[in-house]
Amino acid sequence: MSRTSRFHPATRFRPYTGPAGGWGALRSVASAWIGSGNALKNIRAMLRTNQNGGFDCPGCAWGDSPEAGAVKFCENGAKAVNWEATRRRVDAAFFARHSLSQLREQSDYWLEYQGRLTEPMRYDSASNRYLPISWDDAFTLIAKHLNGLASPDQAAFYTSGRTSNEAAFVYQLFVRSFGTNNFPDCSNMCHEASGVALGETIGVGKGTVTLEDFDHADAIFVLGQNPGTNHPRMLEPLRQALERGAQVVCFNPLRERGLERFQHPQKPIEMLANQDAPTHSLYLRPNLGGDLAVLRGMAKYLLQWEREAQASGAPAVFDHAFITEHSHGLDDYLAAVDAMPWEQIEQQSGLTREAIRPAAEVYRNAGRTIVCWAMGITQHHHSVATIQEISNLLMLRGNLGKLGAGACPVRGHSNVQGDRTMGINERPPVALLDALERQFDLPMPRRNGHNTVECIQAMLTGQVKVFIGLGGNFAQATPDSPRTHQALRNCDLTVQISTKLNRSHLAPGREALILPCLGRTDIDRQASGPQAVTVEDSFSMIHASWGQLEPLSALMRSEPAIVAGMAAATLGTRPVDWLWLAQDYARIRDLIAATIPGFADFNQRLQQPGGFYLGNAAARREWKTPSGRAEFKAHPLPADVLPARARRSGSPDLILQTMRSHDQYNTTLYGLDDRYRGVRGMRKVVFVNPDDIRRLGLAAGQQVDLVSLWDDGIERRVSGFTVLAYDTPPGQAAAYYPETNPLVPLESTGLQSYTPTSKSIAVKIMPTSGAQAAIALASV
Ligand SMILES: Nc1nc2c(c(=O)[nH]1)N[C@H]1C(S)=C(S)[C@@H](COP(=O)(O)OP(=O)(O)OC[C@H]3O[C@@H](n4cnc5c(=O)[nH]c(N)nc54)[C@H](O)[C@@H]3O)O[C@H]1N2
Ligand SMILES: Nc1nc2c(c(=O)[nH]1)N[C@H]1C(S)=C(S)[C@@H](COP(=O)(O)OP(=O)(O)OC[C@H]3O[C@@H](n4cnc5c(=O)[nH]c(N)nc54)[C@H](O)[C@@H]3O)O[C@H]1N2
Ligand SMILES: [Mo]
């Protein structure tokens, strides 16, 4: 790769000591502008990011303050916008130049860098190339395949979380009218555990806080999240909270720069004076998967202090009024807390009870606490139990449904939460199906459908024959890459509705289509004029997004128009006139208003500047659980953070987490650097503790293979990774996703969530055979 050669080996890895944000962020924004080939237009577009009348940032799902005029994008939002709004195009001429075999030789970075997909293409197996096809012929081909299936359950319909509410609603209506609930989606690999866990405990599978709560919290916990890279706009509220005397406590095995210090790149005085500020007051570094143990340790302290308070007559530590009025199951939970030996907590978390105590003290002393979390919590075998322990702790001190307090699963994709609200759900609530049946007078399928992992299994066995992907990069985002690619190739038809070329297009079924769609930044014109779409952020705020830039090609279509086209070809006008619906998205919103709770008068309420709050029953202390109360859940600590099947095939050298660099958006790579971790121009690296490097007889800079442990006889190996000596707890390693997805066994999933365990993979590590000597690297 040409970019790697720019760096002398010794400068490719050097610990970064500056704050997050700062000049590095500004430099990076400038180079994203220039790199897009569309700098001037994009600068104007950027200033419309997250503004009323502008577009919603296609980056993360952090919320916006309603304040008008403020600049509301961050470095990584700028990269996301410029990446989408490029002038480069991938058209019929491009595909004529490159066969699939040639394209497969290219890196993921190269594939997306080629530009926007601009016309519909059909895979031609004879020439192993994509050839142009008309939209009508593409829709006819899809309808022929779908209508030729023996059962609607032989098709699966994937969704990635950038899809707007309008597109998602029409999509689920089309798919359910066709007859299946096979809705694998990116959420299955992301915050599924949060939805499952909170659904059981507080009756709503979403966060209970809004942005305003961050101004009132006395303590904010940030667990298993790297906001400096993945939610940069969160750093400012954290810093402000510290400035007004609140505590910010982080749990993370790695010292993430954004959780240490931050300099606001949009505050000129701060930048010129080179001032920066801390973003945490306490930093705990547990083992991978050790958070449940840490939280249980905190609960043990709280229980001890509560007993002491009762004995001495001091003020209670527990919120007894909340517990009595609102909760259920306290006694069983406290029995589980009592029964848990400190030795097991210390062994599993890697932290002593003395190290855990300050976190418990912060929590006891805070009147109002928010707990935030992301993938470091959700992508483990026991994630549901960990998240339920978060809600146990919140309940003990009444930190639900009050200002400045609550649960905050920080979402990933900008509309992943909205897509679920719209019914992208393989296990749909009965109320949703009933509402759709009433509205459309058509029976809806009642069988649960396939999630992402089950969908891959069903494609491998031939039970699913047609795969349609509304966005995303199914081949690379999912686990066990060679098997997933095989699963796609097994299909009779694969359809990818995409903005950019990616590896999913290179694993076609016997027949395959690429359907190029408009993105968030593009102006979307339909028969009734320019259209807005809507999205829901992590705080359940719904707002409109208006594209700002002229689309690159008249042959690109909007997602709602593409879904309507597929539906009309497959179902005619049953149960609605699909094409009429897509002519004016207000018509789609009227149907959402009629069927999805909380959306009454949708079109009118959208006129409010900044959008509207969907509401959350748990935040009002209404508990939609079977007992009508918030439920304590008494989980035992898992005997092991690894699934038994991993242990059965040997004892691991290391436990590996797979995470994002600073220059990527999921499988989209904007570049090959990871500034805050000091890495330049490389991605095939593995971060290992120096003592582990010695213990395993390796050397920093050496090329290694990683082989994961699973008891099914399949060898899962990645090769040629460079060892970096890094400050990570002993035995805990890290590497980037998606390069390491071949190591994640498809069957290694979370209990109840079915989420691939991307943050705890048991691996063996060994020198790559025939590799050259170690390259010289500055070490930690
Ligand atoms: N720029 C950018 N923004 C993004 C994305 C992107 O790729 N790029 N992706 C979007 C999406 S879809 C999502 S879901 C989010 C992801 O946002 P994050 O969850 O921040 O993403 P990861 O890079 O997976 O980071 C996981 C973090 O958890 C820590 N961690 C890993 N395992 C454990 C553990 O067992 N315990 C604890 N306490 N910590 C652990 C890791 O060290 C790392 O800091 O970001 C969204 N925003
Ligand atoms: N090992 C490992 N695996 C993981 C994770 C991990 O941490 N570790 N994280 C998981 C998580 S949290 C997630 S959310 C998934 C992400 O899984 P996905 O959402 O499937 O993947 P993305 O990389 O976000 O998808 C990128 C592609 O989306 C298309 N695209 C971009 N914008 C648009 C748009 O507006 N419309 C349409 N139709 N297409 C668009 C482009 O063609 C681009 O190539 O990956 C999961 N996989
Ligand atoms: Mo995600």
Side-chain angles (χ1 to χ4, degrees):
M1 213 157 286
S2 63
R3 291 199 56 179
T4 53
S5 57
R6 280 209 337 250
F7 307 112
H8 183 270
T11 64
R12 286 171 65 182
F13 176 55
R14 178 160 287 166
Y16 175 88
T17 51
W23 292 106
L26 276 193
R27 258 195 304 277
S28 163
V29 170
S31 89
W33 265 322
I34 294 160
S36 69
N38 227 4
L40 276 176
K41 278 194 183 143
N42 289 359
I43 289 173
R44 243 175 299 152
M46 285 305 306
L47 296 171
R48 309 283 296 162
T49 309
N50 296 331
Q51 302 287 348
N52 295 326
F55 62 88
D56 180 72
C57 181
C60 73
W62 189 252
D64 310 303
S65 71
E67 186 192 339
V71 179
K72 293 178 188 170
F73 65 86
C74 66
E75 173 194 349
N76 280 349
K79 288 188 206 158
V81 167
N82 283 293
W83 193 252
E84 181 173 293
T86 172
R87 253 198 340 231
R88 284 181 292 275
R89 49 177 72 221
V90 170
D91 51 14
F94 172 93
F95 286 109
R97 284 197 303 274
H98 302 281
S99 72
L100 261 68
S101 331
Q102 288 164 337
L103 291 173
R104 281 196 198 105
E105 300 292 305
Q106 303 294 342
S107 68
D108 289 353
Y109 172 71
W110 187 93
L111 291 175
E112 279 218 24
Y113 184 80
Q114 301 314 305
R116 286 289 295 275
L117 294 159
T118 52
E119 49 191 302
M121 304 296 296
R122 169 181 71 84
Y123 175 59
D124 175 51
S125 58
S127 62
N128 197 27
R129 281 171 208 274
Y130 277 98
L131 305 176
I133 184 174
S134 72
W135 279 102
D136 282 350
D137 288 350
F139 292 144
T140 306
L141 182 69
I142 294 170
K144 185 192 90 183
H145 275 274
L146 289 177
N147 288 328
L149 293 173
S151 150
D153 290 332
Q154 290 176 328
F157 299 82
Y158 179 68
T159 312
S160 166
R162 276 196 194 173
T163 293
S164 64
N165 288 332
E166 287 74 7
F169 182 83
V170 181
Y171 192 53
Q172 65 82 36
L173 182 61
F174 158 49
V175 172
R176 294 204 163 97
S177 304
F178 172 66
T180 181
N181 284 310
N182 281 345
F183 286 110
D185 74 337
C186 71
S187 193
N188 295 145
M189 298 180 274
C190 182
H191 263 295
E192 189 72 56
S194 307
V196 171
L198 296 178
E200 285 185 356
T201 57
I202 62 172
V204 184
K206 297 183 183 181
T208 64
V209 302
T210 64
L211 201 50
E212 194 199 341
D213 287 309
F214 284 80
D215 296 336
H216 300 276
D218 302 316
I220 302 169
F221 282 71
V222 181
L223 314 186
Q225 192 193 347
N226 180 21
T229 287
N230 298 313
H231 305 92
R233 284 178 297 143
M234 180 174 173
L235 297 184
E236 184 62 7
L238 292 184
R239 193 176 92 155
Q240 281 169 356
L242 286 163
E243 277 166 10
R244 60 177 174 74
Q247 304 287 314
V248 175
V249 181
C250 305
F251 292 5
N252 201 310
L254 304 183
R255 270 186 209 289
E256 300 286 27
R257 210 48 201 140
L259 292 173
E260 297 197 308
R261 301 197 75 78
F262 175 56
Q263 184 176 62
H264 202 311
Q266 288 154 5
K267 293 201 172 148
I269 295 186
E270 210 167 89
M271 295 282 292
L272 292 172
N274 214 10
Q275 290 167 338
D276 62 286
T279 43
H280 74 280
S281 47
L282 179 67
Y283 207 121
L284 260 52
R285 301 178 62 203
N287 285 342
L288 295 169
D291 302 85
L292 174 51
V294 180
L295 296 163
R296 187 57 60 87
M298 288 171 62
K300 273 182 99 68
Y301 277 116
L302 291 185
L303 179 55
Q304 177 195 330
W305 296 330
E306 169 65 21
R307 288 190 177 130
E308 287 166 8
Q310 282 181 12
S312 68
V317 174
F318 292 174
D319 181 339
H320 291 284
F322 177 91
I323 291 171
T324 313
E325 193 185 338
H326 293 289
S327 81
H328 173 249
L330 178 72
D331 293 347
D332 285 351
Y333 172 63
L334 293 183
V337 173
D338 261 334
M340 181 57 50
W342 270 112
E343 293 67 32
Q344 199 186 340
I345 289 176
E346 293 184 325
Q347 183 266 330
Q348 196 156 101
S349 67
L351 298 174
T352 62
R353 66 197 83 175
E354 291 74 30
I356 295 172
R357 186 182 168 113
E361 284 170 347
V362 168
Y363 186 53
R364 179 192 58 191
N365 295 337
R368 303 164 188 277
T369 298
I370 296 175
V371 181
C372 304
W373 69 91
M375 298 303 102
I377 298 297
T378 62
Q379 294 176 334
H380 291 286
H381 189 53
H382 57 288
S383 292
V384 169
T386 306
I387 296 159
Q388 294 191 331
E389 191 71 3
I390 293 174
S391 77
N392 290 337
L393 277 179
L394 289 171
M395 285 157 61
L396 281 180
R397 293 192 34 82
N399 275 313
L400 286 166
K402 77 178 176 197
L403 185 67
C408 182
V410 183
R411 300 280 161 175
H413 265 303
S414 50
N415 197 40
V416 61
Q417 185 160 318
D419 292 342
R420 268 293 154 89
T421 307
M422 291 299 118
I424 302 298
N425 193 340
E426 78 282 2
R427 291 179 275 183
V430 173
L432 170 73
L433 301 177
D434 291 346
L436 293 172
E437 283 185 359
R438 270 196 308 275
Q439 177 70 26
F440 298 103
D441 199 18
L442 191 76
M444 293 289 145
R446 298 275 162 173
R447 295 171 306 283
N448 282 347
H450 294 314
N451 59 35
T452 294
V453 165
E454 291 164 341
C455 170
I456 296 166
Q457 289 164 335
M459 293 195 290
L460 281 170
T461 58
Q463 284 160 283
V464 160
K465 298 173 189 300
V466 175
F467 173 91
I468 298 184
L470 183 53
N473 184 358
F474 193 80
Q476 293 301 85
T478 51
D480 240 349
S481 316
R483 284 169 83 200
T484 303
H485 291 203
Q486 184 57 48
L488 286 165
R489 285 195 300 266
N490 263 7
C491 290
D492 291 337
L493 174 71
T494 53
V495 180
Q496 307 286 353
I497 301 163
S498 314
T499 54
K500 289 257 187 136
L501 184 63
N502 62 45
R503 208 159 292 279
S504 297
H505 305 118
L506 309 183
R510 272 173 281 283
E511 296 199 79
L513 293 168
I514 299 176
L515 303 181
C517 70
L518 299 177
R520 207 61 73 62
T521 54
D522 299 311
I523 298 171
D524 178 354
R525 289 192 190 81
Q526 301 297 333
S528 66
Q531 305 291 317
V533 293
T534 61
V535 294
E536 174 181 344
D537 67 25
S538 286
F539 309 118
S540 305
M541 295 295 302
I542 311 285
H543 46 91
S545 174
W546 295 88
Q548 301 292 318
L549 296 169
E550 202 52 51
L552 261 195
S553 144
L555 280 172
M556 289 148 70
R557 291 200 182 171
S558 76
E559 291 182 344
I562 295 172
V563 175
M566 296 192 295
T570 310
L571 301 174
T573 53
R574 186 172 62 98
V576 284
D577 183 342
W578 302 97
L579 300 179
W580 172 84
L581 209 53
Q583 284 168 4
D584 181 351
Y585 300 171
R587 294 171 186 161
I588 303 174
R589 285 189 287 272
D590 281 339
L591 293 178
I592 295 173
T595 49
I596 307 284
F599 284 86
D601 302 321
F602 192 1
N603 280 308
Q604 291 83 317
R605 281 155 82 203
L606 213 48
Q607 309 299 325
Q608 284 163 233
F612 63 92
Y613 177 50
L614 194 53
N616 176 310
R620 297 188 299 270
R621 297 192 167 177
E622 286 166 28
W623 316 104
K624 299 198 183 289
T625 57
S627 66
R629 285 159 170 263
E631 296 281 348
F632 282 100
K633 289 281 178 184
H635 292 279
L637 273 201
D640 189 343
V641 299
L642 293 176
R645 293 189 63 184
R647 291 278 184 205
R648 272 207 289 273
S649 73
S651 104
D653 292 334
L654 296 165
I655 314 235
L656 178 78
Q657 64 150 319
T658 60
M659 61 186 185
R660 293 152 173 80
S661 79
H662 194 62
D663 272 3
Q664 79 183 81
Y665 195 95
N666 298 340
T667 69
T668 294
L669 310 181
Y670 306 128
L672 306 175
D673 300 349
D674 192 3
R675 194 167 75 242
Y676 299 152
R677 299 194 186 105
V679 179
R680 291 211 282 166
M682 353 178 237
R683 287 189 53 88
K684 279 176 74 175
V685 297
V686 54
F687 300 89
V688 187
N689 175 298
D691 290 340
D692 289 325
I693 296 181
R694 263 187 302 273
R695 170 177 64 90
L696 296 163
L698 301 169
Q702 186 173 8
Q703 306 277 293
V704 291
D705 284 13
L706 299 166
V707 176
S708 59
L709 299 178
W710 199 252
D711 69 349
D712 59 3
I714 299 177
E715 190 194 60
R716 297 181 175 83
R717 178 187 290 265
V718 295
S719 212
F721 277 56
T722 302
V723 175
L724 301 182
Y726 202 77
D727 183 7
T728 172
Q732 320 293 307
Y736 300 129
Y737 133 73
E739 284 80 353
T740 42
N741 285 42
L743 295 176
V744 189
L746 187 56
E747 289 76 18
S748 179
T749 56
L751 294 166
Q752 285 182 274
S753 64
Y754 299 97
T755 299
T757 57
S758 311
K759 295 289 189 276
S760 46
I761 309 162
V763 293
K764 290 277 188 200
I765 184 166
M766 61 217 60
T768 298
S769 67
Q772 304 142 348
I775 56 168
L777 295 170
S779 61
V780 286

